[in-house]
Amino acid sequence: MMSNKVSIRRLATGVPGLDEVLGGGIPEFSFNLIVGAPGSGKTTLAHQIMFALATPEKPALFFTVLGETPLKMLRYQQQFSFFDLAKVNQSIHFINISDDVATGNFDTVMSRIAKEIKAYSAGLVFVDSFRSIIINLQHLANKPLSTEEFVHKLGNQMSSWQATTFLIGEYVKENDANPVFAVADGLLMLTQNVHRNSMVRQIQVLKMRGQPTRPGMHTFRITNAGLQIFPAIVIHDDPVAHANHTRIFQAKSRLSMGIPQLDEMLGGGLPEGYSLLVAGPSGSGKTILATAFLTAGLERGEPGVIVAFEQTPSQSWNPAIDDMVRSGKIGLINTRSLDLCIDEIVQHLTTTIHKMKAKRVVIDSLSGFELAVAPTFREDFRESLFRMVALLAGLGVTVLMTSELEDRYTDLRFSPYGSAFLTDAIVVQRYIEVRSNLQRVMSVVKVRSSNHSKAIRSYEITDEGLVIGDLMLDYEGLLGGQPTLSTQNTAIPPYDGDRLI
């Protein structure tokens, strides 16, 4: 009877994001499979882990079988920055067992692998591709080889020698070769999908014994540094974060938007820690309002971050923003790629927030954001937005998001994603026709748990920025018709959570 709890050490993989997905790293002495379609990044992932973990005290053996020769494989793997030539033949040894497999004898292959592991006292063992061994032995042997028997015996051998093992193989379907999957302690599956001009690579931990892993598919990129994984956003029920967020709401510390009249309309400014949606048609001044918000933060000593999908700060109305980005006072995440995932953006964003100790974040715009996201993820865009906003709320930053509206006059919808319910406050901008001229108007639609102005006010975009002017009194033209002036104020039409009715 066991009286002491066994503690399993977790090994850091050296792959950005992977340890987080695994729940802390690879369990020492575990028997793992890395599977996926050709070209999905299996060998690169294995090499990246190997170069991170191999030491003279615990060397790594990389067995190759009837695939790429070690020389050819090394030629390409040297292009990655994780490759350390000094470790080759010192901490890492490449061994080709093609001749042993060619005998068609199962025991010969096992004996060769065992001999090399024992000779080097290997702490890490990689076999690429173990499926090639099985297929060729099945073809050459007089009797069919049991895949489960081979993997089971190999796994037992590795455990007895206290080696952490990775078998690499090509499997396209998740349920392919279930007997192999059942024997493994850990199972990592890599996939890649091509949609027009976008390529999406993802990794999933189908199994990892003895530790909780992060569920779902996690996007990754293969760069000059190897694989970089972007763990899917998980919203935790954190009592401390919830208490802090509640405290912020109750305290109602107000932040200036950089436009005094708008602060007044919001009831004294935007409550700290809130998320604000600024919705309006093209040219209505959404980005101008956002840059004023960031500038006001800098004046208070609050660094900010802007995630720009449509234009760079140098293209914005205020050249000072570009100078602030260049001087490092404002963090910039600027991309027009067409194969992003929200998790990738969120990871870059949270890293920048922590690095700069940012208090204000601008996302300009949700329309550009959706366009930048790979088609694979657009179906879940609304859910991903919810996770992103919740995560940013947990960080305690104040967020301003812009959303492009189609100004049809008969139907006022704040966002094509039905995302208005995600935000704590909404400012809507509109065009109206006054005496054959277009005029801009805005109104505060909601500020959660706070009084705010319900007036519709005109505004102008000047060389000094956005200037809010007179109230539009007795205005009936928001959903069509013509505005008139009177001495009485009329509230805006009823609000059902995402649209005016």
Side-chain angles (χ1 to χ4, degrees):
M1 181 177 178
M2 295 181 62
S3 58
N4 295 324
K5 183 178 179 180
V6 176
S7 178
I8 299 177
R9 190 162 74 99
R10 297 173 182 176
L11 307 177
T13 62
V15 181
L18 182 56
D19 292 346
E20 187 176 349
V21 171
L22 291 172
I26 289 287
E28 190 174 27
F29 310 139
S30 59
F31 186 66
N32 306 283
L33 303 183
I34 300 175
V35 301
S40 58
K42 302 181 301 297
T43 299
T44 301
L45 174 62
H47 276 109
Q48 198 168 351
I49 294 172
M50 179 174 65
F51 275 92
L53 293 176
T55 64
E57 295 74 29
K58 288 190 175 293
L61 299 185
F62 197 99
F63 293 98
T64 60
V65 187
L66 298 174
E68 293 179 304
T69 63
L71 184 62
K72 181 180 180 182
M73 182 171 55
L74 288 174
R75 178 186 179 192
Y76 289 103
Q77 291 299 313
Q78 285 184 54
Q79 309 309 310
F80 294 107
S81 61
F82 64 75
F83 189 94
D84 184 355
L85 189 60
K87 285 193 171 186
V88 178
N89 296 328
Q90 297 296 324
S91 300
I92 296 173
H93 304 273
F94 292 89
I95 301 169
N96 192 318
I97 57 173
S98 297
D99 292 340
D100 302 280
V101 174
T103 65
N105 190 304
F106 172 83
D107 292 328
T108 299
V109 175
M110 289 295 297
S111 297
R112 174 67 189 283
I113 292 175
K115 176 184 174 181
E116 298 293 350
I117 293 173
K118 190 173 182 180
Y120 286 102
S121 299
L124 297 161
V125 175
F126 297 80
V127 180
D128 187 9
S129 139
F130 78 92
R131 197 177 191 192
S132 296
I133 296 179
I134 296 169
I135 291 174
N136 283 279
L137 288 180
Q138 286 175 337
H139 175 70
L140 295 170
N142 294 326
K143 61 178 181 178
L145 173 65
S146 168
T147 300
E148 186 175 7
E149 179 186 9
F150 174 80
V151 176
H152 182 70
K153 284 187 176 181
L154 185 58
N156 286 340
Q157 290 278 22
M158 300 306 172
S159 298
S160 65
W161 286 314
Q162 293 191 326
T164 306
T165 308
F166 299 85
L167 304 189
I168 299 100
E170 291 183 356
Y171 289 88
V172 178
K173 294 183 179 180
E174 185 177 312
N175 60 354
D176 193 8
N178 279 329
V180 179
F181 292 175
V183 172
D185 300 317
L187 176 57
L188 307 181
M189 175 164 284
L190 282 65
T191 61
Q192 60 180 0
N193 297 296
V194 178
H195 187 278
R196 295 184 180 177
N197 294 327
S198 69
M199 160 80 78
V200 175
R201 289 188 167 101
Q202 293 179 302
I203 185 170
Q204 184 177 13
V205 181
L206 296 178
K207 179 182 182 181
M208 189 59 65
R209 286 193 174 115
Q211 62 193 53
T213 60
R214 183 168 295 193
M217 305 290 288
H218 308 276
T219 306
F220 70 90
R221 289 189 182 276
I222 300 178
T223 69
N224 291 334
L227 271 71
Q228 182 178 7
I229 298 171
F230 308 101
I233 304 169
V234 174
I235 306 302
H236 299 286
D237 186 11
D238 186 343
V240 175
H242 179 72
N244 289 339
H245 199 50
T246 302
R247 175 186 57 79
I248 289 172
F249 272 33
Q250 291 174 344
K252 290 184 174 60
S253 175
R254 301 279 179 157
L255 303 181
S256 173
M257 296 294 298
I259 304 170
Q261 300 92 338
L262 181 56
D263 291 341
E264 179 185 341
M265 293 172 69
L266 288 166
L270 182 65
E272 183 182 6
Y274 269 35
S275 55
L276 167 66
L277 177 65
V278 179
S282 178
S284 60
K286 300 181 297 296
T287 300
I288 295 176
L289 194 157
T291 50
F293 172 70
L294 288 176
T295 304
L298 290 178
E299 292 174 353
R300 286 169 45 109
E302 298 173 349
V305 177
I306 180 169
V307 186
F309 293 99
E310 295 187 357
Q311 58 184 352
T312 63
S314 60
Q315 295 173 312
S316 69
W317 70 276
N318 188 352
I321 291 293
D322 190 32
D323 295 336
M324 293 171 187
V325 170
R326 295 178 187 278
S327 64
K329 295 178 181 179
I330 290 179
L332 171 64
I333 300 174
N334 183 30
T335 179
R336 296 185 183 182
S337 174
L338 297 179
D339 61 351
L340 294 174
C341 74
I342 289 187
D343 299 317
E344 181 177 356
I345 288 294
V346 169
Q347 181 165 316
H348 289 321
L349 179 54
T350 52
T351 299
T352 306
I353 289 171
H354 290 308
K355 179 181 177 181
M356 299 191 62
K357 297 181 173 58
K359 298 298 183 182
R360 302 188 182 206
V361 171
V362 165
I363 298 174
D364 186 28
S365 68
L366 294 182
S367 310
F369 197 175
E370 185 190 30
L371 183 62
V373 168
T376 303
F377 305 116
R378 288 178 190 169
E379 183 178 348
D380 301 322
F381 187 71
R382 188 167 182 253
E383 177 186 345
S384 298
L385 278 180
F386 170 77
R387 294 176 181 273
M388 181 183 71
V389 172
L391 179 66
L392 293 175
L395 294 176
V397 296
T398 306
V399 183
L400 186 153
M401 299 181 290
T402 67
S403 178
E404 186 80 10
L405 291 182
E406 181 180 351
D407 203 340
R408 294 181 295 182
Y409 297 94
T410 58
D411 179 21
L412 181 57
R413 184 173 292 275
F414 304 126
S415 167
Y417 325 104
S419 58
F421 79 98
L422 300 176
T423 60
D424 304 305
I426 299 174
V427 171
V428 63
Q429 300 173 331
R430 301 288 287 171
Y431 289 118
I432 63 171
E433 182 182 345
V434 179
R435 299 183 180 89
S436 300
N437 288 296
L438 284 179
Q439 183 171 332
R440 299 180 179 95
V441 297
M442 74 164 60
S443 181
V444 176
V445 175
K446 82 169 180 180
V447 180
R448 198 187 305 276
S449 303
S450 173
N451 291 324
H452 61 86
S453 170
K454 298 177 177 60
I456 299 172
R457 302 187 66 161
S458 64
Y459 67 95
E460 298 288 342
I461 297 176
T462 71
D463 292 340
E464 302 300 321
L466 194 150
V467 178
I468 298 177
D470 298 332
L471 276 68
M472 301 300 297
L473 301 180
D474 197 18
Y475 172 50
E476 298 176 354
L478 187 60
L479 301 181
Q482 295 294 322
T484 59
L485 297 178
S486 77
T487 58
Q488 296 187 359
N489 187 9
T490 302
I492 70 171
Y495 167 58
D496 74 350
D498 191 48
R499 61 190 295 181
L500 293 180
I501 57 177

